[in-house]
């Protein structure tokens, strides 16, 4: 199998390479790495071999004769280059927001809706990082108790903005001016992720709302979101408030969460145990804690969930999709 990585030098691209190297399923896969002209010719070590970065261009995509591509490009580059690869017959799995809400493209979290991928699909979208880690605990709750309304509040790490976000945090702590964010992120919080829309929400907030409905397959879900950038390097946290259709006990909620693939419960307030970004960075699962009733309404539930945005929120999710589509796992 020949696999291309588009945007191999970025944070998500580098995370993909690390995960692919660790997974025996990819031992015999030939990799071709692509990035901008700035990176072309640079050498990356992978499984003991030196791989040379190629410039992403129509000509180089055609020359590479890929079977699959994992894309870690921004939305406008994905819009330009993925259709070129798809026309060449390459099955592309994309991290950007560009194709997520297209009616004819599946938006996939493998633990939830692999079945939405149809024979012949050439572009498969991976959801927004905060959406992925939120829908994983919401899915078993939706299936067992039904959901009327969701309120999301996110606490998102700077690596969510790629290498530029990490730079603003690290250099900002030394007094440098920001270049990625409109204000300093060190010692600060920004209630602003992606651009503002006419309805006063940010694009990031609307991505969480619309993508959650698409993945859970329920357009009637009432959802609102506030997305906040925090001075953390890796792992997003999301406080999720849910109103269920049916009554539940906290024991039942814990059980359905524990039984769901990809969730680890860390929830023992008597011992100060709850998920935190520092402990979850580098891990594959979604960590859930602070499970408690919202006592202000009849069927209300509060959860706190943390996941590594560069892994389950991006690179790992696309690699898990690829393993299923290519029947490697
Ligand atoms: N970071 C996250 O946690 C996260 C989570 C979910 C989804 N995503 C999405 O994943 C994508 C990548 O994010 P990231 O955080 O990895 O960004 P990043 O660190 O800024 O990396 C961007 C990548 O795109 C390449 N690139 C830039 N301009 C290019 C051009 N003109 N031609 C070809 N390649 C070009 C860069 O190559 P050079 O090094 O050569 O410039 C680099 O490899 C984005 O769509 C993002 O929204 C990110």
């Amino acid at each position: 199998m020949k696999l291309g990585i588009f945007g191999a030098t970025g944070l998500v691209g580098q995370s993909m390479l690390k995960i692919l190297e660790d997974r025996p399923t990819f031992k015999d896969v030939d990799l071709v790495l692509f990035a901008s002209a700035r990176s072309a010719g640079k050498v990356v070590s992978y499984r003991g071999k030196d791989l040379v970065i190629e410039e992403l261009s129509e000509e180089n995509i055609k020359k590479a004769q890929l079977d699959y591509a994992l894309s870690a490009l921004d939305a406008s580059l994905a819009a330009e280059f993925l259709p070129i690869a798809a026309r060449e017959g390459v099955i592309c799995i994309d991290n950007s927001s560009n194709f997520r809400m297209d009616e004819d493209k599946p938006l996939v979290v493998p633990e939830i809706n692999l079945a939405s991928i149809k024979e012949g699909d050439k572009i498969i979208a991976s959801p927004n990082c905060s959406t992925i880690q939120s829908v994983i605990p919401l899915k078993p709750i939706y299936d067992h108790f039904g959901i009327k309304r969701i309120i999301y509040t996110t606490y998102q790490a700077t690596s969510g903005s790629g290498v530029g976000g990490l730079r603003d945090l690290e250099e900002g702590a030394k007094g440098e001016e920001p270049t990625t964010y409109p204000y300093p992120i060190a010692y600060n919080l920004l209630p602003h992720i992606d651009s503002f829309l006419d309805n006063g929400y940010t694009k990031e907030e609307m991505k969480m709302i619309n993508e959650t409905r698409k993945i859970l397959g329920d357009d009637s879900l009432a959802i609102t979101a506030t997305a906040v950038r925090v001075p953390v390097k890796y792992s997003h946290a999301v406080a999720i408030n849910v109103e269920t259709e049916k009554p539940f006990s906290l024991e039942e909620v814990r059980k359905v969460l524990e039984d769901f693939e990809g969730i680890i419960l860390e929830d023992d307030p008597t011992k100060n145990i709850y998920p935190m970004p520092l402990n979850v960075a580098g891990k594959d699962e979604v960590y859930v804690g602070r499970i408690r009733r919202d006592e202000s309404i009849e069927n209300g539930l509060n959860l706190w969930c943390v996941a590594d945005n560069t892994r389950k929120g991006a690179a790992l999710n696309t690699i898990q999709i690829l393993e299923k589509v290519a029947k490697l796992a």
Side-chain angles (χ1 to χ4, degrees), residues 266-300:
E266 262 188 1
D267 192 26
D268 188 351
T270 64
K271 298 195 175 97
N272 292 347
I273 289 176
Y274 37 75
M276 290 180 287
L278 271 183
N279 297 349
V280 171
K283 307 265 172 61
D284 286 348
E285 295 81 6
V286 175
Y287 286 69
V288 181
R290 301 295 321 277
I291 300 167
R292 64 206 189 281
R293 276 190 184 281
D294 169 357
E295 294 177 339
S296 68
I297 51 172
E298 199 180 336
N299 295 321

Side-chain angles (χ1 to χ4, degrees), residues 25-302:
T25 37
F26 289 91
K27 192 167 58 66
D28 300 320
V29 168
D30 273 345
L31 285 192
V32 189
L33 308 185
F34 298 89
S36 75
R38 295 178 292 276
S39 304
K42 283 188 188 160
V43 174
V44 172
S45 168
Y46 175 80
R47 290 186 187 266
K49 283 193 228 146
D50 285 344
L51 302 181
V52 180
I53 305 274
E54 297 191 17
E55 180 182 354
L56 186 69
S57 66
E58 179 161 359
E59 193 191 340
N60 284 341
I61 291 174
K62 287 182 175 166
K63 220 166 53 191
Q65 306 233 303
L66 305 170
D67 301 298
Y68 298 93
L70 296 173
S71 179
L73 299 169
D74 70 20
S76 60
L77 288 168
E80 183 180 346
F81 287 103
L82 267 53
I84 293 173
R87 278 196 296 276
E88 291 297 300
V90 183
I91 296 181
C92 305
I93 306 170
D94 182 31
N95 273 288
S96 85
S97 58
N98 193 64
F99 302 100
R100 289 180 190 150
M101 295 310 295
D102 287 6
E103 268 179 32
D104 62 343
K105 309 269 189 318
L107 178 65
V108 179
V109 177
E111 295 84 344
I112 299 178
N113 63 343
L114 256 187
S116 63
I117 303 175
K118 289 179 291 310
E119 194 66 37
D121 280 337
K122 287 286 183 266
I123 297 180
I124 299 166
S126 181
N128 165 272
C129 36
S130 297
T131 309
I132 295 177
Q133 71 181 74
S134 300
V135 290
I136 287 184
L138 285 173
K139 173 66 175 165
I141 292 169
Y142 183 87
D143 287 348
H144 287 87
F145 311 110
I147 293 181
K148 267 194 198 163
R149 180 170 191 232
I150 301 164
I151 304 173
Y152 288 132
T153 311
T154 74
Y155 303 75
Q156 297 184 220
T158 55
S159 58
S161 315
V163 288
L166 283 180
R167 193 220 74 94
D168 268 17
L169 176 56
E170 281 162 7
E171 299 305 314
K174 297 177 204 156
E176 293 290 320
E177 287 298 313
T179 55
T180 297
Y181 302 123
Y183 299 103
I185 185 64
Y187 315 115
N188 203 6
L189 300 172
L190 306 179
H192 174 184
I193 299 184
D194 209 330
S195 42
F196 280 100
L197 299 166
D198 288 345
N199 65 358
Y201 282 73
T202 60
K203 273 193 186 166
E204 184 80 358
E205 290 160 351
M206 292 312 298
K207 283 179 218 165
M208 291 193 75
I209 293 169
N210 294 326
E211 293 177 22
T212 298
R213 291 187 180 130
K214 180 165 175 178
I215 296 160
L216 295 180
D218 187 346
D219 284 340
S220 73
L221 282 175
I223 312 176
T224 188
T226 303
V228 182
R229 186 73 65 197
V230 299
V232 162
K233 285 190 182 174
Y234 294 97
S235 295
H236 294 345
V238 186
I240 308 178
N241 178 273
V242 195
E243 183 178 0
T244 60
E245 299 272 2
K246 295 185 206 151
F248 59 82
S249 72
L250 290 178
E251 290 64 38
E252 287 171 317
V253 168
R254 283 203 181 87
K255 171 95 176 71
V256 301
L257 289 172
E258 226 157 25
D259 288 349
F260 198 77
E261 191 187 342
I263 293 180
I264 294 187
L265 288 195
E266 262 188 1
D267 192 26
D268 188 351
T270 64
K271 298 195 175 97
N272 292 347
I273 289 176
Y274 37 75
M276 290 180 287
L278 271 183
N279 297 349
V280 171
K283 307 265 172 61
D284 286 348
E285 295 81 6
V286 175
Y287 286 69
V288 181
R290 301 295 321 277
I291 300 167
R292 64 206 189 281
R293 276 190 184 281
D294 169 357
E295 294 177 339
S296 68
I297 51 172
E298 199 180 336
N299 295 321
L301 178 69
N302 282 310

